[in-house]
Amino acid sequence: MIEEFLTDKPTVFRPDLMRGKSILISGGGSGIGRATACLFARLGAKVIISGRKLEKLSAVVDVIEAAGFDASAMVCDIREQQSVDQLFETLSDGPSIDFLINSAGGQFPQPAIEFSEKGWLTVVNTNLNGTWRMMQGAAKHWQSAQQPGGIVNIVVVPQGLQGVAHTCAARAGVIAASQSVAVEWAPMQIRINCIAPGAIQTEGWAVYDEKTRAKYPKTNPMMRAGTAWEIAESCVYLCSDAGAFVTGEVLTVDGGGQHWGEIWTTGKPEYFREASRLWDD
């Protein structure tokens, strides 16, 4: 799959669009983050991917470099402030980054009434606090270097996602924070936007049961699942000159699912199934 991203996957963008730019991508070892790293590398950017496991990151870097593109890996646990501080301290010793893509995160499907406090706090710390640590770290990095920058946060589609209320709450916090600092940091020429994917097929789908996954392509009016590549191209748009006048926005990429559709990560209860059958007549 990753080799396809680097060679055969069509893109609307010209090959040198991001030449001379440096991109930091959290969660770059898999899924949306990995696809985004491959696309930015293909477009000429110097790509730095971060995550908790060096082995996973190195596997991605090796393939990108073998294809003739520029990539490196840095270990960082966004759940720990000290780890994030160390990441940006290391970056300050080299060429400054131009953009940050926050793709790191995690959650598990479970009825909300069954959440333990530990489970709730773990997801919120990763998806909200971790994203914020990276955002603030990048802003301080650019402030110190007296240069502009841009942030793209991967959140969730703004419709009810039953079974993952913890990540919905965390990502909603990311959106609110992004909208606030888009105003506060505009004088520093820092733009902040979010991308809200709908049903995007990645290896992360493995946390859901097979029967549930089979229904995801029909959770939107386009009747298909999205791809990590489509999210990657959305990231490029927001980081390119075409998105230069866009900040504080949420770009929803869900095939229209927010207007018509539903996603039940733990299965649809019979009460709601029966309600849906009212339209069968």
Side-chain angles (χ1 to χ4, degrees):
M1 176 65 78
I2 186 173
E3 289 81 4
E4 179 189 13
F5 288 157
L6 291 164
T7 54
D8 304 328
K9 199 74 173 174
T11 178
V12 299
F13 299 109
R14 72 172 190 265
D16 63 345
L17 181 65
M18 289 292 165
R19 191 166 306 283
K21 302 294 185 181
S22 294
I23 318 294
L24 172 62
I25 303 172
S26 72
S30 62
I32 290 171
R34 181 178 59 199
T36 303
C38 291
L39 179 54
F40 272 97
R42 271 180 59 179
L43 301 181
K46 174 182 174 60
V47 172
I48 305 163
I49 59 174
S50 69
R52 290 184 292 140
K53 298 179 180 179
L54 181 59
E55 182 179 3
K56 189 175 182 179
L57 298 172
S58 296
V60 175
V61 168
D62 289 347
V63 177
I64 292 176
E65 288 186 329
F69 303 114
D70 193 343
S72 60
M74 298 181 68
V75 173
C76 178
D77 186 347
I78 64 171
R79 301 173 300 180
E80 301 292 339
Q81 183 67 56
Q82 184 177 358
S83 184
V84 173
D85 290 344
Q86 182 60 55
L87 169 69
F88 284 102
E89 183 178 339
T90 302
L91 287 172
S92 68
D93 294 333
S96 182
I97 60 169
D98 296 287
F99 298 101
L100 164 66
I101 311 294
N102 275 315
S103 183
Q107 58 275 326
F108 54 89
Q110 186 182 40
I113 201 166
E114 297 176 12
F115 287 164
S116 68
E117 182 178 19
K118 180 180 179 181
W120 172 273
L121 292 176
T122 297
V123 171
V124 170
N125 185 44
T126 302
N127 295 353
L128 173 57
N129 300 340
T131 300
W132 170 250
R133 292 181 188 108
M134 294 293 288
M135 291 171 63
Q136 188 181 48
K140 289 180 177 179
H141 174 81
W142 292 318
Q143 183 184 50
S144 177
Q146 295 186 320
Q147 74 165 73
I151 299 172
V152 177
N153 297 316
I154 306 300
V155 290
V156 295
V157 64
Q159 71 183 99
L161 289 177
Q162 293 74 23
V164 285
H166 40 20
T167 197
C168 290
R171 301 299 192 178
V174 171
I175 293 172
S178 299
Q179 292 170 337
S180 292
V181 297
V183 175
E184 287 190 38
W185 297 348
M188 294 190 291
Q189 299 183 63
I190 298 174
R191 295 188 300 111
I192 305 96
N193 292 289
C194 298
I195 293 176
I200 305 299
Q201 188 165 6
T202 69
E203 60 265 44
W205 275 19
V207 300
Y208 310 116
D209 66 76
E210 185 176 352
K211 187 176 180 180
T212 298
R213 291 199 305 268
K215 292 180 170 61
Y216 280 178
K218 294 185 178 181
T219 58
N220 63 78
M222 295 185 74
M223 295 292 177
R224 71 171 177 87
T227 67
W229 192 250
E230 289 171 313
I231 305 304
E233 292 209 306
S234 298
C235 289
V236 172
Y237 159 66
L238 288 172
C239 293
S240 73
D241 290 344
F245 200 49
V246 182
T247 193
E249 291 299 322
V250 180
L251 175 59
T252 301
V253 186
D254 72 341
Q258 64 171 324
H259 307 296
W260 177 91
E262 52 188 349
I263 301 176
W264 296 83
T265 63
T266 53
K268 189 172 183 178
E270 183 57 36
Y271 175 88
F272 294 104
R273 289 177 181 271
E274 185 60 33
S276 299
R277 294 188 190 106
L278 293 174
W279 297 99
D280 293 343
D281 295 335

